[in-house]
Amino acid sequence: MPVTTGLQRVGFGANTKISYLVQTAAGAIDSTPEWTVVPFASGEMTVQAEQMNDNSMTGDRNELEPRSGTVNGQMKLSGKFRPVCFDALLEAAAQGTWGVKYALSGLTVTVAAALGGGFTFTRTVGSWITDGVTIGDIITFGGFAATGNNKTFQVTGVIALVITCRKATGCTAVVADTEVTATTGTDYLKVGSTQRRVAWEIYHSDTNEYLRMVNTEISNFNLSLNANGEISFDMTAIGGKELDLGANINSPIAGATYVETSKPFYDSFNGTISLAGATGIYFSSMSPTINNQSTPLFALGSRYPFAISHGKMMGDMSLTAYYTDETIKSKYQDETSLNLKVQIKYEDEELIDTDFHEIEFPSTKIISFGRPVSGAGELVDNLTVKPYKDATLGSSFRIRKYNAT
């Protein structure tokens, strides 16, 4: 039998790695870049050139040579949503900055064992509630003379003067320690107006070739939650320019590092979805969205975008819920403002031990409602919800993350 030699190398998706970084400056990749690797199901880096056709007549019915016009580089990516590796992309999409929920100082606090386990933290004046502390917060204390009290705990109960942390261990009872601090991590993200440029790298290991694109901005970032399944994402970045790597097409950038996550993807059966003031509602799907209504801008003399226009951030989302009563329909008819909160996790463990992302829409209204009947199965309410700016939060949504160590 003859031996086949010299077969052409072919690139395969299984040997493709996609990474990104938020650029320090527009137009260039950082000199020693730290790339974040994104596990993905499908990805596509495209360079779209507007086509210009010559419709002139020459008397012989033949087409004349076409030309290419302005160029818009795009990156499309989809897959399973998971902790850590998407946080910088979420920040770029929201155009906000991850920050603390509150940072309190100068407190006088007493620590005591709580009935039923854990510890209480009682302040002398002011109000934990007024300062924004809520059940579920991950709070870090500092300034106690007893260093065992300077730790991070989950808030399981809160009233004006007293925080209860049922899972707190290793604390020491103290009376009226002064200059105590209480803060969250930089784990909260709201809508902002800070545009960030994102660079992308695709590496095909079987052909040993790199593709790189700079200057994209996140146009939209979407999540999809369906009952008894994984949490998936899809996103689009626009306005980019692919770099001509020339002889360096086979080489990584000198000094580049790559950060990969070992975290599993989130699923839809360990998290929670709640609608404040309503019980007995069972959602079967929802699709939180960040849509920046983005458009690349071109100027005379420029083939590539010189800027990207962004409109208002639209977060309209579709939801479905099993029909159990008229609660949802009445909220639609009465134009009731709703507080919608969804928390997604990946393990059936206690909150303090588990990575999660939580998205809160404190002010939303149902803008469309339907209840189709088709066949003999269960009835489902179909609705569209529009988040809008909440006066207290100053944003139409807030994303919260927690990364367990």
Side-chain angles (χ1 to χ4, degrees), residues 193-214:
S193 55
T194 302
Q195 293 178 236
R196 293 177 172 86
R197 299 295 178 94
V198 180
W200 299 90
E201 179 183 88
I202 298 179
Y203 177 55
H204 302 290
S205 60
D206 33 25
T207 60
N208 190 33
E209 290 186 345
Y210 290 85
L211 301 173
R212 297 190 187 101
M213 180 177 286
V214 297

mmCIF file of all heavy atoms in Angstrom, residues 193-214:
data_model
loop_
_atom_site.group_PDB
_atom_site.id
_atom_site.type_symbol
_atom_site.label_atom_id
_atom_site.label_comp_id
_atom_site.label_asym_id
_atom_site.label_seq_id
_atom_site.Cartn_x
_atom_site.Cartn_y
_atom_site.Cartn_z
ATOM 1 N N SER A 193 -20.590 55.523 31.611
ATOM 2 C CA SER A 193 -20.321 56.126 30.299
ATOM 3 C C SER A 193 -18.819 56.169 30.009
ATOM 4 O O SER A 193 -18.330 57.064 29.346
ATOM 5 C CB SER A 193 -20.908 57.539 30.231
ATOM 6 O OG SER A 193 -20.438 58.351 31.290
ATOM 7 N N THR A 194 -18.091 55.182 30.535
ATOM 8 C CA THR A 194 -16.652 55.072 30.279
ATOM 9 C C THR A 194 -16.416 54.062 29.172
ATOM 10 O O THR A 194 -16.571 52.858 29.377
ATOM 11 C CB THR A 194 -15.899 54.636 31.554
ATOM 12 O OG1 THR A 194 -16.141 55.582 32.594
ATOM 13 C CG2 THR A 194 -14.405 54.552 31.291
ATOM 14 N N GLN A 195 -16.078 54.556 27.986
ATOM 15 C CA GLN A 195 -15.863 53.654 26.859
ATOM 16 C C GLN A 195 -14.499 52.982 26.984
ATOM 17 O O GLN A 195 -13.493 53.633 27.276
ATOM 18 C CB GLN A 195 -15.954 54.433 25.541
ATOM 19 C CG GLN A 195 -17.354 54.955 25.262
ATOM 20 C CD GLN A 195 -17.430 55.752 23.986
ATOM 21 O OE1 GLN A 195 -17.844 56.905 23.980
ATOM 22 N NE2 GLN A 195 -17.036 55.148 22.873
ATOM 23 N N ARG A 196 -14.495 51.675 26.766
ATOM 24 C CA ARG A 196 -13.255 50.901 26.858
ATOM 25 C C ARG A 196 -13.035 50.154 25.548
ATOM 26 O O ARG A 196 -13.957 49.554 25.004
ATOM 27 C CB ARG A 196 -13.322 49.909 28.024
ATOM 28 C CG ARG A 196 -13.350 50.581 29.397
ATOM 29 C CD ARG A 196 -13.496 49.542 30.502
ATOM 30 N NE ARG A 196 -13.342 50.132 31.838
ATOM 31 C CZ ARG A 196 -14.319 50.680 32.521
ATOM 32 N NH1 ARG A 196 -15.544 50.720 32.005
ATOM 33 N NH2 ARG A 196 -14.107 51.196 33.718
ATOM 34 N N ARG A 197 -11.797 50.186 25.075
ATOM 35 C CA ARG A 197 -11.432 49.460 23.860
ATOM 36 C C ARG A 197 -10.927 48.069 24.236
ATOM 37 O O ARG A 197 -10.146 47.921 25.173
ATOM 38 C CB ARG A 197 -10.354 50.232 23.088
ATOM 39 C CG ARG A 197 -10.804 51.631 22.631
ATOM 40 C CD ARG A 197 -11.923 51.539 21.612
ATOM 41 N NE ARG A 197 -12.416 52.834 21.189
ATOM 42 C CZ ARG A 197 -11.993 53.486 20.115
ATOM 43 N NH1 ARG A 197 -11.036 52.962 19.361
ATOM 44 N NH2 ARG A 197 -12.516 54.637 19.785
ATOM 45 N N VAL A 198 -11.361 47.094 23.460
ATOM 46 C CA VAL A 198 -11.025 45.699 23.749
ATOM 47 C C VAL A 198 -10.272 45.109 22.568
ATOM 48 O O VAL A 198 -10.698 45.247 21.412
ATOM 49 C CB VAL A 198 -12.294 44.866 24.028
ATOM 50 C CG1 VAL A 198 -11.927 43.406 24.338
ATOM 51 C CG2 VAL A 198 -13.092 45.465 25.182
ATOM 52 N N ALA A 199 -9.136 44.477 22.844
ATOM 53 C CA ALA A 199 -8.352 43.771 21.834
ATOM 54 C C ALA A 199 -8.623 42.272 21.936
ATOM 55 O O ALA A 199 -8.905 41.754 23.018
ATOM 56 C CB ALA A 199 -6.867 44.055 22.013
ATOM 57 N N TRP A 200 -8.509 41.598 20.797
ATOM 58 C CA TRP A 200 -8.788 40.165 20.720
ATOM 59 C C TRP A 200 -7.629 39.435 20.050
ATOM 60 O O TRP A 200 -6.965 39.984 19.168
ATOM 61 C CB TRP A 200 -10.068 39.904 19.916
ATOM 62 C CG TRP A 200 -11.277 40.530 20.515
ATOM 63 C CD1 TRP A 200 -11.762 41.788 20.272
ATOM 64 C CD2 TRP A 200 -12.152 39.949 21.476
ATOM 65 N NE1 TRP A 200 -12.892 42.023 21.011
ATOM 66 C CE2 TRP A 200 -13.148 40.908 21.763
ATOM 67 C CE3 TRP A 200 -12.197 38.711 22.120
ATOM 68 C CZ2 TRP A 200 -14.179 40.665 22.667
ATOM 69 C CZ3 TRP A 200 -13.225 38.459 23.012
ATOM 70 C CH2 TRP A 200 -14.199 39.434 23.281
ATOM 71 N N GLU A 201 -7.430 38.212 20.485
ATOM 72 C CA GLU A 201 -6.433 37.342 19.857
ATOM 73 C C GLU A 201 -7.040 35.960 19.650
ATOM 74 O O GLU A 201 -7.640 35.388 20.569
ATOM 75 C CB GLU A 201 -5.186 37.228 20.720
ATOM 76 C CG GLU A 201 -4.115 36.318 20.114
ATOM 77 C CD GLU A 201 -2.899 36.154 21.000
ATOM 78 O OE1 GLU A 201 -2.908 35.241 21.861
ATOM 79 O OE2 GLU A 201 -1.949 36.955 20.829
ATOM 80 N N ILE A 202 -6.899 35.449 18.451
ATOM 81 C CA ILE A 202 -7.286 34.076 18.138
ATOM 82 C C ILE A 202 -6.019 33.308 17.768
ATOM 83 O O ILE A 202 -5.228 33.765 16.931
ATOM 84 C CB ILE A 202 -8.298 34.011 16.975
ATOM 85 C CG1 ILE A 202 -9.592 34.733 17.354
ATOM 86 C CG2 ILE A 202 -8.599 32.562 16.594
ATOM 87 C CD1 ILE A 202 -10.639 34.728 16.255
ATOM 88 N N TYR A 203 -5.833 32.165 18.397
ATOM 89 C CA TYR A 203 -4.666 31.337 18.100
ATOM 90 C C TYR A 203 -5.120 29.960 17.640
ATOM 91 O O TYR A 203 -5.865 29.273 18.349
ATOM 92 C CB TYR A 203 -3.760 31.195 19.320
ATOM 93 C CG TYR A 203 -2.572 30.280 19.088
ATOM 94 C CD1 TYR A 203 -1.689 30.509 18.039
ATOM 95 C CD2 TYR A 203 -2.345 29.186 19.919
ATOM 96 C CE1 TYR A 203 -0.605 29.684 17.821
ATOM 97 C CE2 TYR A 203 -1.261 28.338 19.708
ATOM 98 C CZ TYR A 203 -0.399 28.597 18.654
ATOM 99 O OH TYR A 203 0.672 27.771 18.434
ATOM 100 N N HIS A 204 -4.682 29.591 16.439
ATOM 101 C CA HIS A 204 -4.945 28.249 15.890
ATOM 102 C C HIS A 204 -3.674 27.418 16.067
ATOM 103 O O HIS A 204 -2.700 27.596 15.335
ATOM 104 C CB HIS A 204 -5.330 28.337 14.412
ATOM 105 C CG HIS A 204 -6.535 29.188 14.141
ATOM 106 N ND1 HIS A 204 -7.802 28.815 14.513
ATOM 107 C CD2 HIS A 204 -6.653 30.392 13.543
ATOM 108 C CE1 HIS A 204 -8.657 29.750 14.143
ATOM 109 N NE2 HIS A 204 -7.995 30.720 13.568
ATOM 110 N N SER A 205 -3.693 26.532 17.055
ATOM 111 C CA SER A 205 -2.460 25.814 17.377
ATOM 112 C C SER A 205 -2.064 24.814 16.299
ATOM 113 O O SER A 205 -0.877 24.512 16.136
ATOM 114 C CB SER A 205 -2.617 25.087 18.724
ATOM 115 O OG SER A 205 -3.672 24.145 18.683
ATOM 116 N N ASP A 206 -3.041 24.291 15.548
ATOM 117 C CA ASP A 206 -2.680 23.293 14.537
ATOM 118 C C ASP A 206 -1.996 23.923 13.328
ATOM 119 O O ASP A 206 -1.177 23.282 12.664
ATOM 120 C CB ASP A 206 -3.899 22.470 14.092
ATOM 121 C CG ASP A 206 -5.178 23.266 14.099
ATOM 122 O OD1 ASP A 206 -5.111 24.507 13.982
ATOM 123 O OD2 ASP A 206 -6.249 22.649 14.242
ATOM 124 N N THR A 207 -2.309 25.181 13.017
ATOM 125 C CA THR A 207 -1.601 25.880 11.940
ATOM 126 C C THR A 207 -0.554 26.841 12.485
ATOM 127 O O THR A 207 0.177 27.464 11.704
ATOM 128 C CB THR A 207 -2.589 26.662 11.061
ATOM 129 O OG1 THR A 207 -3.282 27.621 11.875
ATOM 130 C CG2 THR A 207 -3.601 25.729 10.415
ATOM 131 N N ASN A 208 -0.509 26.976 13.825
ATOM 132 C CA ASN A 208 0.442 27.871 14.500
ATOM 133 C C ASN A 208 0.349 29.290 13.945
ATOM 134 O O ASN A 208 1.352 29.910 13.575
ATOM 135 C CB ASN A 208 1.871 27.352 14.387
ATOM 136 C CG ASN A 208 2.835 28.139 15.282
ATOM 137 O OD1 ASN A 208 2.452 28.602 16.356
ATOM 138 N ND2 ASN A 208 4.070 28.305 14.825
ATOM 139 N N GLU A 209 -0.874 29.824 13.909
ATOM 140 C CA GLU A 209 -1.069 31.182 13.413
ATOM 141 C C GLU A 209 -1.961 31.972 14.365
ATOM 142 O O GLU A 209 -2.898 31.423 14.955
ATOM 143 C CB GLU A 209 -1.673 31.175 12.008
ATOM 144 C CG GLU A 209 -0.717 30.677 10.945
ATOM 145 C CD GLU A 209 -1.269 30.821 9.546
ATOM 146 O OE1 GLU A 209 -2.486 31.035 9.402
ATOM 147 O OE2 GLU A 209 -0.495 30.711 8.591
ATOM 148 N N TYR A 210 -1.652 33.275 14.475
ATOM 149 C CA TYR A 210 -2.397 34.188 15.335
ATOM 150 C C TYR A 210 -3.191 35.179 14.486
ATOM 151 O O TYR A 210 -2.735 35.595 13.405
ATOM 152 C CB TYR A 210 -1.453 34.984 16.237
ATOM 153 C CG TYR A 210 -0.775 34.168 17.322
ATOM 154 C CD1 TYR A 210 0.398 33.473 17.049
ATOM 155 C CD2 TYR A 210 -1.297 34.113 18.606
ATOM 156 C CE1 TYR A 210 1.038 32.739 18.047
ATOM 157 C CE2 TYR A 210 -0.664 33.379 19.611
ATOM 158 C CZ TYR A 210 0.501 32.700 19.314
ATOM 159 O OH TYR A 210 1.112 31.972 20.300
ATOM 160 N N LEU A 211 -4.338 35.574 14.990
ATOM 161 C CA LEU A 211 -5.092 36.705 14.461
ATOM 162 C C LEU A 211 -5.297 37.680 15.621
ATOM 163 O O LEU A 211 -5.613 37.257 16.734
ATOM 164 C CB LEU A 211 -6.445 36.271 13.907
ATOM 165 C CG LEU A 211 -6.455 35.241 12.772
ATOM 166 C CD1 LEU A 211 -7.890 34.819 12.473
ATOM 167 C CD2 LEU A 211 -5.807 35.809 11.526
ATOM 168 N N ARG A 212 -5.137 38.968 15.353
ATOM 169 C CA ARG A 212 -5.351 39.953 16.412
ATOM 170 C C ARG A 212 -6.129 41.139 15.866
ATOM 171 O O ARG A 212 -5.934 41.558 14.720
ATOM 172 C CB ARG A 212 -4.016 40.426 17.004
ATOM 173 C CG ARG A 212 -3.241 39.310 17.682
ATOM 174 C CD ARG A 212 -2.043 39.824 18.473
ATOM 175 N NE ARG A 212 -1.254 38.679 18.948
ATOM 176 C CZ ARG A 212 -0.124 38.249 18.377
ATOM 177 N NH1 ARG A 212 0.354 38.886 17.328
ATOM 178 N NH2 ARG A 212 0.503 37.204 18.856
ATOM 179 N N MET A 213 -6.998 41.674 16.716
ATOM 180 C CA MET A 213 -7.807 42.832 16.367
ATOM 181 C C MET A 213 -7.811 43.791 17.551
ATOM 182 O O MET A 213 -7.873 43.360 18.706
ATOM 183 C CB MET A 213 -9.241 42.407 16.015
ATOM 184 C CG MET A 213 -10.167 43.549 15.630
ATOM 185 S SD MET A 213 -11.825 42.962 15.150
ATOM 186 C CE MET A 213 -11.458 42.258 13.532
ATOM 187 N N VAL A 214 -7.746 45.087 17.269
ATOM 188 C CA VAL A 214 -7.741 46.100 18.324
ATOM 189 C C VAL A 214 -8.919 47.052 18.144
ATOM 190 O O VAL A 214 -9.574 47.078 17.104
ATOM 191 C CB VAL A 214 -6.421 46.907 18.326
ATOM 192 C CG1 VAL A 214 -5.235 46.014 18.627
ATOM 193 C CG2 VAL A 214 -6.228 47.646 17.001
#
